[in-house]
Amino acid sequence: MMIFSRLRIVSIAAIASLTTCYAGMAAADEFDLSPEQPKRVHAQRNEAAIASIPKGFKFVTSGKFTVAVSPGGPPLATYATDAKTVVGADPEYANAIAESLGLQLELVPVAWIDWPLGLTSGKYDAVISNVGVTEQRKEKFDFSTYRKGLHGFFVKADSAITSIKEPKDAAGLRFIVGAGTNQERILLRWSDDDVKAGLKPLELQYYDDEAASLLALRSGRADVIVQPHAQLVYIAGRDKNLKRVGTLSAGWPDRSDVAITTRKGSGIADTLTLATNGLIKDGTYAKILAQWQLSEEALPASETNPPGLPKF
């Protein structure tokens, strides 16, 4: 059993969007979106990783590590205040990988839908843009993991809800979730589990945009918002009226990781895994995640082509 509610808010959402724009001015207090990036974390050369670069691998441009990134939004990747420089956790991590390999980063902004074709056609060496590992993608690409794939449970700062870790914690609550998303699929399973256990089902609510969703949460018409964790970290830092009460693996009940994506069989994936593990070992990796408030997404170690989300 499941309770659904599809709410469409137009005039109220327009008002809320003004509030969101104003609140966005406060984001600078939490995240540096300047093109200069004065606090960027830099990496040392990793001679072992450099030595592991396959002799037959040719970088798109000699001396450079060419990486595609989709500026989908902070804190992962967005355009800086100059409206042309791409900044965020993924660009900073890409720069650290480049530095550890003794290369200069060449960042290529692309639309999300375009990265697979661009990568297979050799336009760039890798994609570092919050790409999750899936079994279907592994048929065409190689992966070097660098973050956990997490969704976040966030509530109003003054909410009585303090922790959501498993289905029983969610029973009877009203969740804002995107239609057709992976998190919706998981919450549907949670609701079924709760009903089978004699608990109340979850109520899922769907809104047309972020402003309407946040207004519903602030006004008490919903209890919890569920989105990719990084998105909600930024919103919470910007608006200062939300709190995290839990995280959810994108592959629940299994782990699901985000990875550097490279051409299948190109041979560079093991090098990038080695470089990432070097950054983890010397603390550079942890500093980058902390810089963008994503420490919750830290991996203990990078892996090449781990198990990914199954085909649904």
Side-chain angles (χ1 to χ4, degrees), residues 98 112 117 127 145 148 176 180 203 207 217 249 258 276 283 290 303:
W112 172 263
L117 180 59
V127 176
T145 59
K148 294 178 183 176
I176 297 170
E203 177 185 322
Y207 294 85
L217 191 66
S249 170
V258 170
T276 296
E303 298 177 72

Side-chain angles (χ1 to χ4, degrees), residues 172-229:
L173 297 181
R174 299 166 296 173
F175 286 82
I176 297 170
V177 67
T181 61
N182 193 43
Q183 50 266 38
E184 180 196 36
R185 177 187 62 80
I186 295 170
L187 291 181
L188 288 170
R189 290 179 59 186
W190 277 31
S191 188
D192 288 343
D193 288 348
D194 282 339
V195 171
K196 290 175 183 177
L199 301 173
K200 292 182 179 180
L202 281 62
E203 177 185 322
L204 301 192
Q205 298 182 5
Y206 304 88
Y207 294 85
D208 288 340
D209 54 40
E210 179 184 289
S213 297
L214 295 176
L215 181 61
L217 191 66
R218 290 196 300 267
S219 66
R221 286 181 285 110
D223 302 307
V224 188
I225 186 168
V226 184
Q227 287 180 202
H229 175 254

Side-chain angles (χ1 to χ4, degrees), residues 134-137 139 308-312:
T134 70
E135 290 303 309
Q136 185 170 5
R137 287 175 180 158
E139 294 174 0
L309 286 177
K311 298 178 182 179
F312 294 110

Side-chain angles (χ1 to χ4, degrees), residues 24-293:
M25 297 172 63
D29 297 336
E30 300 284 337
F31 301 93
D32 177 17
L33 301 182
S34 70
E36 297 82 11
Q37 293 292 291
K39 297 181 180 179
R40 169 166 283 175
V41 178
H42 292 281
Q44 300 296 317
R45 284 172 60 96
N46 183 330
E47 299 300 338
I50 293 171
S52 76
I53 298 173
K55 296 187 184 300
F57 182 82
K58 300 295 183 183
F59 289 96
V60 171
T61 302
S62 180
K64 293 185 177 182
F65 184 40
T66 303
V67 175
V69 62
S70 177
L76 295 181
T78 190
Y79 284 105
T81 52
D82 66 355
K84 61 181 180 181
T85 305
V86 181
V87 299
D90 280 345
E92 186 160 339
Y93 170 72
N95 188 68
I97 289 290
E99 290 178 337
S100 69
L101 295 178
L103 301 169
Q104 179 183 348
L105 177 65
E106 182 76 23
L107 207 59
V108 182
V110 299
W112 172 263
I113 196 172
D114 293 336
W115 71 256
L117 180 59
L119 183 58
T120 55
S121 64
K123 289 185 177 180
Y124 19 86
D125 302 309
V127 176
I128 300 181
S129 194
N130 201 42
V131 180
V133 182
T134 70
E135 290 303 309
Q136 185 170 5
R137 287 175 180 158
K138 281 167 64 179
E139 294 174 0
K140 295 183 178 180
F141 306 103
D142 286 330
F143 293 96
S144 303
T145 59
Y146 69 97
R147 277 200 342 264
K148 294 178 183 176
L150 294 182
H151 302 310
F153 293 119
F154 279 64
V155 299
K156 288 197 303 180
D158 61 355
S159 172
I161 300 169
T162 59
S163 178
I164 298 176
K165 296 181 178 179
E166 54 187 322
K168 66 181 181 63
D169 301 329
L173 297 181
R174 299 166 296 173
F175 286 82
I176 297 170
V177 67
T181 61
N182 193 43
Q183 50 266 38
E184 180 196 36
R185 177 187 62 80
I186 295 170
L187 291 181
L188 288 170
R189 290 179 59 186
W190 277 31
S191 188
D192 288 343
D193 288 348
D194 282 339
V195 171
K196 290 175 183 177
L199 301 173
K200 292 182 179 180
L202 281 62
E203 177 185 322
L204 301 192
Q205 298 182 5
Y206 304 88
Y207 294 85
D208 288 340
D209 54 40
E210 179 184 289
S213 297
L214 295 176
L215 181 61
L217 191 66
R218 290 196 300 267
S219 66
R221 286 181 285 110
D223 302 307
V224 188
I225 186 168
V226 184
Q227 287 180 202
H229 175 254
Q231 293 177 3
L232 290 172
V233 165
Y234 179 78
I235 292 170
R238 180 193 69 193
D239 296 353
K240 305 187 189 310
N241 57 10
L242 301 179
K243 66 179 180 180
R244 178 178 55 221
V245 294
T247 58
L248 174 70
S249 170
W252 184 89
D254 301 314
R255 197 179 84 186
S256 175
D257 295 336
V258 170
I260 306 174
T261 310
T262 51
R263 291 184 297 280
K264 189 73 177 177
S266 66
I268 199 64
D270 285 336
T271 293
L272 299 176
T273 299
L274 186 60
T276 296
N277 281 325
L279 296 175
I280 293 173
K281 185 176 181 180
D282 70 15
T284 303
Y285 172 82
K287 291 177 182 177
I288 292 172
L289 291 185
Q291 179 92 334
W292 296 97
Q293 300 188 27

